[in-house]
Amino acid sequence: MSKKILIIGAGGQIGSELTYKLRSIYGQQNVIASDLNYNNLELVNSGTFEIIDAMDYASIKICCEKHDIDTIYLMAAILSATGEKYPMKAWDLNMQSLFHILNLAKAKAIKKVFWPSSIAVFGPTTPTENTPQHTTMEPTTVYGITKQVGERWCEYYHEKYGVDVRSLRYPGIISWKTLPGGGTTDYAVEIYHEAIKHKKYECFLSENTALPMMYMEDAIKATVNLMSADAEKVKIRSSYNLSGISFTPKQIAASIKKQIPEFEISYKPDFRQDIANSWPSSIDDTKARKDWDWKHQFDLDGITKDMLSNLVSKTK
Ligand code: NAD
C-alpha cells in the first residue's frame, strides 16, 4: 500500500530536502509539497505543489482529502532569531499549526504526524554538557517556549487520543541546498558561503560558543528512520534528543582553513549570542540510539568537505 504524504512548509531549509528524500523512497506521486508561497522555485517545479497556509485548518483538510493524505510532516515555523523579533507571530504560527495537525489526526483524517522540536526547548538552568533526555527545561526564547509547549501537547494527544505523533529535537542543521530561515545556528551555513565568496566571515557568535549541530543528510536520515520505525519502538512521544556533533565558531573556521588556507574569521556577537548562551553545548541522545537505532555519520571535517564541494559546483 502506498503512503501519501503532505509536507507543510516544504519550501524551507529542511522541508525541501525532506521532500526530495521522501519522493525518492515513496515515489514522486505520493509526496505532496506545500508552502505559503512559491519562493522555492526548484521545489515548486519538482513535483506536485500546493499553496497552504499552516494557520488555515480548512485548507489543510481539503488538501488531505484531495490527495488522500495519511501522513503529515509539519515543517512550517518561525525560528529562534526571527521569533525574538516577532514573538506573537511565532507563538501563533508555531502553536496553531500544530493544533490543526494534531486535531486532524485526532479526528482520524490522517494517521501519522511528524513535528520537529528543537534544542531550544532547553534553557539556562539545563545542564549544558551531554544534556539528558529528561531534565530541567526553562526556555527563555519565545521559539523555545513554543517547542516545549508543543512537545507537551504531542505527548498529550498520543496518551489521550492515540495520535501517532513523532518528534525530534533537531540541533542546528547545516546544509547547502536551501538557505536557513532565521535561526541562531545559521552562522554555520553562512560561513561556508562567505568562505567561498569572500574568504572571510564576520560571525555573530563569539569564538568559543559550542552548540550541537548536524549535517542535513543525518537529520533527514533520523527523520525517515523515526517515521518508519515500528510504533512500539517509539517510546518517547514528546520529542527525542538527537545528536550529531558539537563545535564552536573557532573550530569550524579551523576546519575551513584546512581547505581554504586564506580564510579568516572575525567575531561580532549580536542578540543571538544570548540565545546561544541559553542552549546546551552537547546532547545525550542515548534513547534515540537505543529505541530506533539512530546513528549519525558526518563529523566536522566531513561536513566541511561536502559543503564546500557542493557550494562550489552550485556556483559554477
Ligand atoms: P525554514 O524557516 O527554513 O522553513 C520554514 C518554511 O515554512 C518556509 O518555507 C516558510 O515559507 C514556511 N512557512 C512559514 N509560515 C507558513 C505558513 N503560515 N504556512 C505554511 N508555510 C509557512 O525552517 P526549517 O529550518 O526548514 O525548519 C523546519 C522545522 O524544523 C521548524 O519546525 C523548525 O523549528 C525546526 N528546526 C529547525 C532547525 C534548523 O537548524 N533549521 C533546528 C531545530 C528545529
Side-chain angles (χ1 to χ4, degrees):
M1 198 188 73
S2 63
K3 292 169 198 273
K4 287 256 185 171
I5 293 169
L6 173 65
I7 300 165
I8 298 177
Q13 188 197 6
I14 304 176
S16 53
E17 299 214 31
L18 185 62
T19 304
Y20 301 133
K21 183 67 183 184
L22 292 175
R23 282 182 177 155
S24 77
I25 299 172
Y26 297 110
Q28 179 79 3
Q29 71 290 354
N30 291 324
V31 180
I32 315 301
S34 75
D35 208 290
L36 202 49
N37 52 50
Y38 295 109
N39 288 354
N40 189 336
L41 274 181
E42 192 185 336
L43 177 90
V44 171
N45 293 326
S46 70
T48 309
F49 181 87
E50 299 273 1
I51 290 285
I52 291 184
D53 181 350
M55 307 273 277
D56 181 0
Y57 182 82
S59 67
I60 302 171
K61 189 162 180 281
I62 289 166
C63 181
C64 288
E65 287 163 3
K66 177 175 161 195
H67 292 287
D68 200 16
I69 298 296
D70 77 0
T71 301
I72 290 183
Y73 292 72
L74 174 58
M75 309 310 283
I78 289 182
L79 275 68
S80 59
T82 311
E84 291 310 286
K85 291 185 189 153
Y86 309 104
M88 288 322 295
K89 258 173 102 170
W91 174 257
D92 288 345
L93 172 61
N94 297 4
M95 297 317 305
Q96 248 196 62
S97 58
L98 177 60
F99 276 121
H100 288 342
I101 307 309
L102 290 175
N103 284 329
L104 272 175
K106 180 186 167 195
K108 312 251 181 275
I110 54 168
K111 291 201 185 101
K112 221 189 223 185
V113 175
F114 178 79
W115 172 80
S117 184
S118 158
I119 53 163
V121 291
F122 301 117
T125 52
T126 302
T128 53
E129 298 286 336
N130 266 329
T131 301
Q133 175 72 41
H134 301 290
T135 185
T136 309
M137 292 158 80
E138 294 179 322
T140 49
T141 60
V142 66
Y143 174 70
I145 294 169
T146 65
K147 292 296 186 185
Q148 190 198 26
V149 174
E151 286 190 7
R152 298 288 86 229
W153 279 111
C154 286
E155 192 179 275
Y156 187 91
Y157 269 68
H158 177 73
E159 294 295 321
K160 299 277 169 178
Y161 310 124
V163 168
D164 188 354
V165 54
R166 305 175 182 205
S167 176
L168 297 169
R169 290 173 181 155
Y170 286 138
I173 306 298
I174 301 171
S175 68
W176 57 270
K177 267 197 191 129
T178 306
L179 284 170
T184 302
T185 51
D186 290 5
Y187 91 85
V189 176
E190 288 170 14
I191 195 168
Y192 290 110
H193 287 261
E194 292 303 305
I196 289 169
K197 267 194 246 151
H198 302 117
K199 313 237 176 302
K200 59 179 185 181
Y201 178 64
E202 185 178 86
C203 186
F204 58 74
L205 298 183
S206 64
E207 61 182 338
N208 292 321
T209 309
L211 286 171
M213 299 278 188
M214 180 173 288
Y215 203 41
M216 181 64 86
E217 239 178 272
D218 277 335
I220 299 293
K221 185 174 78 174
T223 310
V224 168
N225 289 359
L226 173 67
M227 286 299 277
S228 53
D230 291 341
E232 62 274 16
K233 285 194 170 176
V234 184
K235 301 207 169 71
I236 292 173
R237 295 297 183 147
S238 51
S239 191
Y240 275 96
N241 271 9
L242 186 73
S243 169
I245 51 169
S246 286
F247 57 78
T248 63
K250 194 174 166 182
Q251 287 167 328
I252 193 175
S255 175
I256 293 173
K257 258 176 167 311
K258 288 184 200 165
Q259 309 287 322
I260 307 176
E262 322 86 278
F263 177 70
E264 292 295 338
I265 186 166
S266 57
Y267 303 94
K268 194 176 176 199
D270 66 14
F271 73 101
R272 288 168 281 194
Q273 183 68 45
D274 288 339
I275 302 178
N277 289 345
S278 76
W279 289 353
S281 49
S282 60
I283 299 284
D284 176 354
D285 63 353
T286 312
K287 291 211 185 297
R289 289 176 194 260
K290 193 165 148 261
D291 288 359
W292 41 275
D293 303 324
W294 157 244
K295 268 196 263 345
H296 76 280
Q297 184 192 338
F298 283 84
D299 63 10
L300 180 53
D301 285 341
I303 293 174
T304 298
K305 274 199 196 113
D306 208 65
M307 281 295 285
L308 292 176
S309 69
N310 278 303
L311 285 175
V312 166
S313 355
K314 201 178 169 190
T315 48
K316 269 181 190 159

